[in-house]
Amino acid sequence: MEKSTSSGSFNHELQWLHSFAPEFGVNGDSVKILHTPSEFHTQLIQEARCAKKRIVLASLYVGTGSLEKELIEAICLAAQDNANGISITILMDCIRGSRGKDNSIEILNPLFNRYGHSDKLQVYLYHTPNLRGLMKRFLPERWNELISVAHMKAFIFDDNLIMSGANLSHDYFVNRQDRYISLRNCPEVANYFNALIDTVGSFSFKLMPNKKVDFAHSISQHPYKGNRREFIVNANKQVKHFIQSHLALSTKAHNHCDDYCELPRNLFKKFTHYASTSPPTKPQNIAKCDVPSVGAVDKHEFVDTWIYPTIQMGLFSIRQDEFVTKLLMKSFLPESKVHFTTGYFNVTADYCDTIIKSDARYDIILSSPEANGFFSSNGFSRHIPQVYIHLCKKFYDNVKGAGRQSHFSLLEYVRSNWTFHGKGMWHYPPGEKLPDMTIIGSTNFGLRSVHRDLEAQMILVTKNAKLRERLHQEKNSIAKYTRPILSETFKQPRYIVPRWVASVTNFIKIYF
């Protein structure tokens, strides 16, 4: 890492973010960018084998193939090599993780063979309170996952963190392109995400050694047998307390937790108040970074990079990520360049309106129909790519109607035998050729992400020239497989949407 004789650091134009999210100062040399699914898998294996204290994994599910088994074996070896017992915590979605007979619960069995009933092993299975009653009884597998899932992805090994949008499954290790950022020796950032996963675990089921699922009873109401309203209120309190406690640790954070943790009718009024005024874009007059006790930097190391984690759990009226993301997009200066990407283009009307009215120039990278994970699937799901095409066309028409074509480029990711799952944002200040900010995490910025699923993001702001170059290379490594979406594109047979799909899209888009 780059050293400095003092603990001072740069200020930056997005310093106002510390008013709405915890701020962690790090040195950019500790941040590594992974480019491919195979790099991601290799890094997970290496980190697991070297872990000494803790392994914490949050993923929608864990696959059951040979590559996933290799990861579990590496975790078991780490446990075997540490006589005092390395602690292991895993958070998955209960519905997705228990799908079929050969499922995530089965593949984790070797860990229970190693640990038994030890409190060193915790496997949490989050179950949405919205799947209950007749829906719980009669909705078939896969369809029941449309209701809501735990969608967070974060992977902690001792004091190292890998933040991604990828799940722990074969395609995500082989040919499903996503994004992956690794932070090394950043204990407080790792502790934050560890605590977030434990918080969700406190109102989740626990997997037991006999493969049975038990409710932890940290909250008085069962997720789908108890009172739904009370479960949601109690979950809100748990997550709100988590956010408040981490904001309180930051000496510069102003506690705006209530602004995005109130009931929606109260939230809307406050959100409108903040969103109506552009956030400050000039750095504060602070001589030093004054990284608080949560800052993940040795006092002799130079702070040039800042991490701002955000959470979105719309079901529980936790809308921090939505709140901050919109403020962030409103703060972009004229002629700044934004590269925005999502594998599933179903961006909310609020985000669309903000993007179209922005003075920034946007390159929006989407999955082509062939690179959509649902392409060539069975049943109704094979029409899901057409749903996203229809939504993309509506956005294109809105841009055209607003006369903003010169500020936008739509690009589709096309790569033979690959699917696209990448999501996030890179921001290039006016006149600069390297990004100074990126967003990475689990959200697709769509209706599901905002209203239904449990999501976690990380905003990274940096003045480190080498890290900015690495982020630029990451963007380019994705963009090189894209081609423009033009008005003629929508006339191609591969982009033709059946009328019945277009007709039902407005009714079903909340689930995608």
Side-chain angles (χ1 to χ4, degrees):
M1 285 187 178
E2 181 181 357
K3 299 287 183 177
S4 173
T5 55
S6 73
S7 59
S9 72
F10 298 102
N11 296 306
H12 62 87
E13 290 74 11
L14 299 176
Q15 202 93 44
W16 56 267
L17 285 167
H18 68 234
S19 294
F20 303 98
E23 180 181 81
F24 301 94
V26 302
N27 184 276
D29 292 342
S30 68
V31 181
K32 177 181 178 182
I33 311 296
L34 308 178
H35 294 278
T36 66
S38 60
E39 285 184 68
F40 175 51
H41 181 255
T42 299
Q43 186 77 16
L44 288 171
I45 298 296
Q46 291 176 347
E47 294 279 10
R49 288 174 177 169
C50 295
K52 303 296 182 185
K53 300 181 299 181
R54 64 178 171 183
I55 295 176
V56 184
L57 311 175
S59 178
L60 176 63
Y61 67 105
V62 180
T64 59
S66 60
L67 296 178
E68 298 92 311
K69 290 177 181 177
E70 185 180 354
L71 175 60
I72 300 302
E73 288 170 4
I75 296 174
C76 288
L77 285 174
Q80 178 179 316
D81 293 341
N82 290 273
N84 294 329
I86 188 171
S87 67
I88 299 172
T89 303
I90 299 174
L91 171 67
M92 302 183 298
D93 185 76
C94 184
I95 303 303
R96 180 63 182 88
S98 59
R99 183 206 289 181
K101 293 184 179 180
D102 188 18
N103 54 35
S104 302
I105 293 175
E106 290 292 330
I107 199 172
L108 296 180
N109 199 48
L111 293 176
F112 286 99
N113 292 339
R114 169 68 180 80
Y115 277 90
H117 289 272
S118 170
D119 59 3
K120 291 279 187 177
L121 175 63
Q122 303 287 338
V123 178
Y124 298 122
L125 300 170
Y126 166 81
H127 192 293
T128 175
N130 279 0
L131 183 64
R132 55 178 51 233
L134 294 177
M135 282 198 301
K136 173 71 175 174
R137 184 175 180 181
F138 293 111
L139 266 183
E141 288 186 341
R142 298 184 70 189
W143 286 93
N144 55 12
E145 295 164 32
L146 294 176
I147 304 304
S148 176
V149 295
H151 198 242
M152 300 186 301
K153 299 102 189 319
F155 313 103
I156 302 164
F157 305 89
D158 293 341
D159 294 333
N160 303 331
L161 168 72
I162 300 175
M163 197 73 183
S164 180
N167 293 304
L168 300 176
S169 182
H170 177 272
D171 289 355
Y172 296 93
F173 297 152
V174 177
N175 63 349
R176 178 164 291 181
Q177 183 65 57
D178 214 298
R179 299 182 62 214
Y180 334 86
I181 291 184
S182 171
L183 282 71
R184 301 196 59 79
N185 300 316
C186 298
E188 285 75 16
V189 183
N191 290 343
Y192 170 91
F193 283 99
N194 193 159
L196 171 60
I197 291 165
D198 283 340
T199 299
V200 176
S202 70
F203 49 83
S204 299
F205 290 114
K206 289 182 67 175
L207 184 61
M208 309 305 290
N210 55 9
K211 301 181 186 178
K212 291 185 178 180
V213 176
D214 181 44
F215 185 52
H217 298 294
S218 298
I219 291 181
S220 60
Q221 292 297 320
H222 190 280
Y224 61 86
K225 293 181 180 179
N227 182 282
R228 174 185 175 276
R229 176 62 180 169
E230 186 173 338
F231 180 93
I232 289 174
V233 168
N234 285 329
N236 170 279
K237 289 179 180 178
Q238 294 272 61
V239 180
K240 185 176 179 179
H241 174 74
F242 166 80
I243 295 173
Q244 286 175 325
S245 63
H246 282 82
L247 282 173
L249 288 174
S250 177
T251 58
K252 294 189 295 181
H254 306 295
N255 195 339
H256 287 283
C257 183
D258 285 342
D259 296 332
Y260 41 74
C261 296
E262 295 291 341
L263 295 177
R265 61 179 181 273
N266 296 329
L267 171 77
F268 181 77
K269 181 178 179 180
K270 294 181 178 181
F271 185 87
T272 303
H273 167 72
Y274 281 99
S276 65
T277 305
S278 295
T281 56
K282 295 182 180 180
Q284 296 182 1
N285 185 23
I286 302 175
K288 295 183 179 181
C289 180
D290 291 332
V291 177
S293 58
V294 293
V297 180
D298 181 88
K299 65 180 180 179
H300 297 299
E301 290 174 351
F302 200 73
V303 175
D304 57 17
T305 301
W306 298 264
I307 306 297
Y308 302 93
T310 57
I311 305 166
Q312 184 76 10
M313 301 179 184
L315 176 60
F316 303 142
S317 297
I318 303 295
R319 308 178 78 124
Q320 182 189 30
D321 183 68
E322 174 192 9
F323 187 99
V324 175
T325 299
K326 183 171 179 180
L327 288 179
L328 188 62
M329 291 191 294
K330 287 179 69 67
S331 77
F332 294 151
L333 296 175
E335 299 308 313
S336 59
K337 189 68 177 287
V338 180
H339 294 264
F340 176 96
T341 182
T342 174
Y344 303 113
F345 189 78
N346 185 16
V347 180
T348 67
D350 207 22
Y351 282 158
C352 283
D353 186 61
T354 302
I355 291 172
I356 291 174
K357 291 179 179 178
S358 173
D359 290 326
R361 303 177 66 87
Y362 274 81
D363 279 355
I364 301 178
I365 300 175
L366 316 172
S367 171
S368 66
E370 298 83 0
N372 188 294
F374 293 97
F375 188 75
S376 297
S377 59
N378 298 321
F380 174 80
S381 59
R382 68 188 177 90
H383 296 289
I384 292 177
Q386 296 170 340
V387 171
Y388 294 117
I389 291 172
H390 180 67
L391 294 168
C392 177
K393 179 63 164 57
K394 288 185 67 176
F395 176 79
Y396 182 88
D397 291 341
N398 288 338
V399 170
K400 189 175 179 180
R404 304 284 291 172
Q405 302 96 308
S406 62
H407 280 67
F408 286 88
S409 294
L410 284 176
L411 304 161
E412 61 172 351
Y413 185 92
V414 182
R415 190 176 181 184
S416 180
N417 297 318
W418 280 63
T419 56
F420 184 67
H421 199 252
K423 52 190 78 73
M425 196 182 298
W426 300 262
H427 171 263
Y428 291 69
E432 299 192 27
K433 296 182 178 180
L434 298 176
D436 66 344
M437 184 278 293
T438 191
I439 300 177
I440 185 171
S442 63
T443 181
N444 283 291
F445 306 101
L447 290 171
R448 271 199 74 106
S449 297
V450 169
H451 297 291
R452 291 186 173 273
D453 295 341
L454 275 54
E455 309 279 10
Q457 294 265 87
M458 184 177 80
I459 301 170
L460 182 151
V461 182
T462 185
K463 294 288 188 178
N464 184 295
K466 292 180 180 179
L467 176 54
R468 293 181 69 182
E469 179 63 39
R470 292 196 294 273
L471 289 170
H472 180 63
Q473 291 173 356
E474 180 205 22
K475 186 270 297 179
N476 285 344
S477 70
I478 292 174
K480 70 180 180 180
Y481 293 105
T482 66
R483 63 190 180 196
I485 299 175
L486 307 172
S487 58
E488 293 78 13
T489 307
F490 295 103
K491 299 176 184 178
Q492 297 174 5
R494 54 196 283 273
Y495 265 79
I496 299 298
V497 177
R499 287 188 177 181
W500 72 267
V501 174
S503 299
V504 302
T505 293
N506 282 338
F507 299 99
I508 66 173
K509 64 182 181 180
I510 188 68
Y511 298 102
F512 296 101

